Amino acid sequence: MYKKNPFCILAVLLVVCFASTFVVAEQLKKDISKTIVDLPIHFKNSKIVRTVDLRNTIAREEIGIRAENIHQQPVDEYYLPFPETYDEKVAIITAALKQGSKEQLLVEKFGFDSERHIQLYKITFPQPIQPGESVPFSIKLVTTHTLTPNPPVIPQVARQHVEYNNNMFMYNLYGADESKTTVVLPQNANVITFTETTENFSRNGNKLVYGPFTAIHPLIYTAFHVHYEQSKPLLAVKNLVRDVQVSQLGGNLAVEERYPLRHEGARLEKEFSRVSYQQSIGVHAHTNVLKSLTFHLPSSARDVYYRDDIGNVSTSNLHYEPSGAVLEIRPRYPLFGGWNYTWFHGYNADLSEFLRYNKNSGQYVLNIKFVENAKTMTFDHVKLNIVLPEGASNVEVHAPFEFDGVTHSTHYTNLDTTGRYQLTLDKSNVVSEHEQFIQITYNYSSISHLQKPLVASAAFFLVFALSIFVSKLKFTIGTTKVIKKME
Ligand SMILES: *[C@@H]1O[C@H](CO)[C@@H](O)[C@H](O)[C@H]1NC(C)=O
Ligand SMILES: *[C@@H]1O[C@H](CO)[C@@H](O)[C@H](O)[C@H]1NC(C)=O
Ligand SMILES: *[C@@H]1O[C@H](CO)[C@@H](O)[C@H](O)[C@H]1NC(C)=O
Ligand SMILES: *[C@@H]1O[C@H](CO)[C@@H](O)[C@H](O)[C@H]1NC(C)=O
């Protein structure tokens, strides 16, 4: 028989209490994680015309939409859903009106629907669309890492094929009266397989045309795939670091870029064979091997260097064209699928090519590109460090796109007293569309111009004075005496 022990009762009560709070907390967690975003269906897509451009090693989509306001009130917000796994690959999403001003439209991340695993975006029209009225606009989408080498492993001398999978329709909330998707493949590419529909499908050279299809339901996802030859290497830079240093006194812009490059194409089936490599030189252009990369530098570029982890790489070629300097880099070894190569290169250029003084604002404007030479590769992450002269203040960045992070800090070098101003810009998923000019405006007074030479001359003077002083000292064997003399 159990005695009625008060401690026992207390313990049981405590356990019950803990258990119930735990259950409540778990329930709360579930409620929070399950976000269903309820969106008003105020539009109907009358027509969607979509082009998926696969001519290059990344996918670019252009979507033309005619949307009709089916609400009783004027509406200015159009919502776009993206499956979660697709959203991670999006590097660019922009929208523009198709008529009149062809104005760029504001596109913002709106919310995440964790129930349906959908990331929502909101497009805002400059003027509300009246009931019954239609608005034609276009959406541009660039995604990275959407091509998968298939087979993933190939012989050293073989053609690379890739597979692309996506929705046959533009994924959308509103459905569509009519929709057509055209897939553009590389010219003359050998196509192994592709999805074909029984109705309304046509193939025209390097174009696959799906549609027109009518009465498309909202949120419909019909998978299609295409498996084709893509001989170009699939190049991704994991983390590009670009250092740009402004030296206002010396009129110099120093640029250094560090590239951890990865070839994400089909990997080698067997060990690399140099003999086979030499013998197949004539057909290298049809394989995915990367032998060189071309970098366009400013016309005033000088002191150009190119080094990797081992040291200087001599197999580079610099020449000057009317448009600027051209640096051709040959990696130390030919780069095959799955291989990495890390190097850095840099140069000095005339600052006057990039910096101007705006008399109206009393500020300096540094005009540089966020990334350069991005045509053949994508960047999973870019970190751009801009070091401004000591004494720069009121620093602001102006760019045609948003950054993931903007950090203001201080960079110290020799002879700096207060340290230089460093601006760091971070962005993930960067493609050649981001190869655009950005402006950094800042205040810089003539006194700060003198700060460094003043520090330098003060330092020289100190050394000079000290050397006079030391030369006047009479050194004797007893150190204590010297110290006494110094007093
Ligand atoms: C095929 O296209 C015709 C018009 O060109 C259209 O009437 C028909 O509905 C389409 N088929 C499907 C399945 O959408
Ligand atoms: C590397 O090249 C630069 C000039 O391009 C030269 O100044 C430097 O001494 C070289 N370093 C080595 C280790 O060869
Ligand atoms: C290349 O780099 C990636 C990380 O970016 C790493 O996972 C992979 O193992 C590297 N490959 C080789 C062959 O070193
Ligand atoms: C920057 O310079 C302009 C013009 O000289 C001046 O009007 C402004 O107040 C300055 N801003 C700061 C933060 O110093």
Side-chain angles (χ1 to χ4, degrees), residues 126-145:
Q127 268 101 39
I129 312 305
Q130 298 304 318
E133 218 181 272
S134 286
V135 56
F137 65 103
S138 63
I139 294 172
K140 188 177 170 150
L141 262 178
V142 180
T143 48
T144 59
H145 302 291

Side-chain angles (χ1 to χ4, degrees), residues 357 360-363 393-394 443:
Y357 181 70
N360 297 329
S361 67
Q363 287 194 310
S393 65
N394 197 19
N443 281 27

Side-chain angles (χ1 to χ4, degrees), residues 351-368:
L351 186 58
S352 56
E353 225 181 300
F354 306 94
L355 188 73
R356 64 185 173 84
Y357 181 70
N358 182 343
K359 272 192 192 137
N360 297 329
S361 67
Q363 287 194 310
Y364 285 93
V365 183
L366 179 70
N367 190 42
I368 54 169

Side-chain angles (χ1 to χ4, degrees), residues 51-112:
T51 306
V52 181
D53 184 349
L54 299 178
R55 283 175 300 172
N56 266 300
T57 52
I58 56 175
R60 292 186 163 84
E61 286 189 36
E62 290 270 356
I63 307 162
I65 299 173
R66 175 176 281 277
E68 184 192 334
N69 176 1
I70 52 168
H71 193 49
Q72 299 85 10
Q73 313 280 320
V75 181
D76 64 354
E77 289 166 357
Y78 183 99
Y79 297 93
L80 267 182
F82 278 39
E84 185 180 13
T85 48
Y86 193 66
D87 183 53
E88 290 160 3
K89 298 173 176 170
V90 172
I92 297 269
I93 167 167
T94 55
L97 284 181
K98 267 205 150 169
Q99 284 175 349
S101 56
K102 305 217 163 159
E103 201 173 318
Q104 282 286 323
L105 301 173
L106 182 66
V107 183
E108 295 164 291
K109 261 199 176 172
F110 179 71
F112 182 70

Side-chain angles (χ1 to χ4, degrees), residues 456-474:
S457 44
F460 278 123
F461 178 74
L462 215 78
V463 170
F464 184 62
L466 213 70
S467 67
I468 291 176
F469 181 70
V470 168
S471 69
K472 289 262 160 79
L473 288 180
K474 280 180 193 154

Side-chain angles (χ1 to χ4, degrees), residues 59 102 125 195 204 292 415 463:
K102 305 217 163 159
F125 299 114
T195 306
N204 183 1
S292 73
L415 297 178
V463 170

Side-chain angles (χ1 to χ4, degrees), residues 199-200 212-214:
E199 230 180 291
N200 297 4
F213 295 117
T214 50

